[in-house]
Every structure is written in structure tokens, then in C-alpha cells.
Amino acid sequence: MASKPKPTPAEKLIKSKDRVRDLAEVFTAKREVDAMCDLIPTISQPHARLLEPSCGNGNFLAVILERRLTALDAKLFRRRSPLNPAAKPRKLTTARQIPLEIGILQVVSNLYGVDISPDNVSECKNRLLTHVQEFYQRNNRHTWQPNPVLWPAVKHILDHNIIHGNTLLQTPTCPKDQRIHLSNWAFTGTTAPLDSPAARFCQQVFNFADL
């Protein structure tokens, strides 16, 4: 009798019984994540801000990121169907490279996550970064080299958007050392140098309890 395939690390519902006891940590399976995301028509809109107050290692954020990147790709390249990673790549000009890179930064800048576990936060950030990098290479791996500032900019945004903290403690009287600070990223559009996508964003920091 064939054994059932083991879930991937990202699909495991628990890391350990101790973490369930200490952190009440139980992850959501991808099937349920997809079903819940399907209930929200605007979930794929790149400019809609979304906060996951207990993001774990990013099960929800990874799915939402994929949907928004797919929508971005469809908008820029007028694709009627999702990308096929096995398809033979077509030659593309670099005319859409900067719009794609700016679009990636906009998508990432509108996703937020908070978790009480530092290792979950680190895993989530690395997971989202890897996801974006794979999307970029899958789309244009045969002709384009990313702008040198693109991945540092994505990492910088993720470092400020995926936060270690406890959202249940965020009140006006919350101690300063436990406050969560979130960043709003405003697209300026014309800030020089024009070939640097990261230069087109400015950052505003807010207290979670004040939002």
C-alpha cells in the first residue's frame, strides 16, 4: 500500500506540540487559504493594502502575493492565462522592465504581516522574497537582468512590512518596547534617478495602535 506523500515544510499545520501549547500556533492549509481568498474579489488587486495580523510563516501572504503578481503580469504583458513555467520563453524587449520592477515594489509594499514568533517572521520574509525572485526570473529569465537596487529594495520593504510583535497588545497604553510600527510606502513617480525603481518610493512610519 502506497504511503501518503509528506507535506512540504510550508504546508505543515504545526511545527511542534510545544509551539501549539506555548504560542497557539496552527497553520492554515493551502486548500483553505485558496478557498478563503476566493471569497474576496479584491484580493488580487495590487494596490489594495492587506494586513495579516497573525501571519505565521506566510501561508496567506504567499498565496495573495502570487495572485497579485499574476495580475501584474497580465496587466503589463496582456496575458489571458497564467504563466506556464515550462513554456518556451519568448523574446521580450526591456521597455516593460522598469514598469514591472516598480509594479513588484508596489505589490510587496501593500502586503503586511505580524507574528509573535521571530523565526516565523524571518521565514515569511525569506519565503516572499524567494517567491518574487522566482516570478521575475520565470517571466524574463532569458533576456533581463534585474536592476541592482531591486532586490535590496524588496528586502528593505519586507523588513518593515513583516514585523515581529503581538497585535493583541497594541493599545494606546502599550509599552513603547512592545509597540508595532508599520510603514506606508508612497509612490512618487518622478524622483531621480529615473532608472532606479527604489528611488520612486518614500516611507512614512505609523504606530499600529494609532491606525
Side-chain angles (χ1 to χ4, degrees):
M1 182 178 178
S3 60
K4 295 182 179 179
K6 294 182 179 180
T8 63
E11 281 294 298
K12 289 183 178 179
L13 300 186
I14 65 170
K15 288 185 175 181
S16 71
K17 293 182 179 179
D18 290 341
R19 292 176 69 95
V20 175
R21 181 193 64 230
D22 298 336
L23 302 175
E25 179 184 84
V26 179
F27 298 128
T28 308
K30 189 176 186 305
R31 182 182 64 180
E32 282 69 34
V33 172
D34 285 331
M36 294 174 71
C37 288
D38 289 341
L39 298 175
I40 308 175
T42 59
I43 202 75
S44 298
Q45 294 182 1
H47 301 291
R49 291 188 180 93
L50 184 141
L51 168 67
E52 166 58 287
S54 182
C55 67
N57 63 1
N59 283 5
F60 273 97
L61 292 177
V63 169
I64 295 167
L65 176 63
E66 170 63 27
R67 294 187 180 206
R68 294 188 174 192
L69 290 175
T70 299
L72 173 66
D73 181 83
K75 177 181 178 180
L76 288 178
F77 299 96
R78 302 183 184 277
R79 302 184 193 276
R80 296 183 179 180
S81 58
L83 289 173
N84 179 7
K88 183 178 179 180
R90 295 181 299 172
K91 185 177 181 180
L92 298 172
T93 67
T94 58
R96 293 189 179 95
Q97 183 171 3
I98 290 180
L100 176 68
E101 293 177 353
I102 292 174
I104 287 174
L105 292 177
Q106 289 176 319
V107 167
V108 175
S109 69
N110 285 318
L111 293 179
Y112 299 85
V114 181
D115 199 81
I116 60 175
S117 170
D119 55 309
N120 277 346
V121 170
S122 178
E123 186 178 343
C124 181
K125 289 191 287 189
N126 291 333
R127 186 176 175 186
L128 298 183
L129 174 63
T130 299
H131 201 84
V132 175
Q133 290 174 328
E134 290 177 349
F135 163 79
Y136 189 97
Q137 295 301 322
R138 183 173 74 232
N139 192 1
N140 312 290
R141 61 185 181 274
H142 57 294
T143 56
W144 292 357
Q145 290 295 325
N147 191 300
V149 303
L150 177 62
W151 302 133
V154 171
K155 291 179 183 178
H156 180 76
I157 293 173
L158 289 174
D159 283 340
H160 288 81
N161 281 22
I162 310 301
I163 303 295
H164 172 232
N166 188 339
T167 54
L168 297 179
L169 300 179
Q170 301 309 303
T171 65
T173 58
C174 177
K176 290 184 178 181
D177 61 344
Q178 297 182 15
R179 292 179 183 176
I180 295 174
H181 301 285
L182 297 177
S183 296
N184 175 57
W185 306 91
F187 178 64
T188 60
T190 58
T191 303
L194 295 179
D195 61 347
S196 176
R200 303 187 182 199
F201 286 79
C202 63
Q203 178 182 7
Q204 296 173 298
V205 181
F206 299 89
N207 289 325
F208 183 95
D210 296 334
L211 300 179

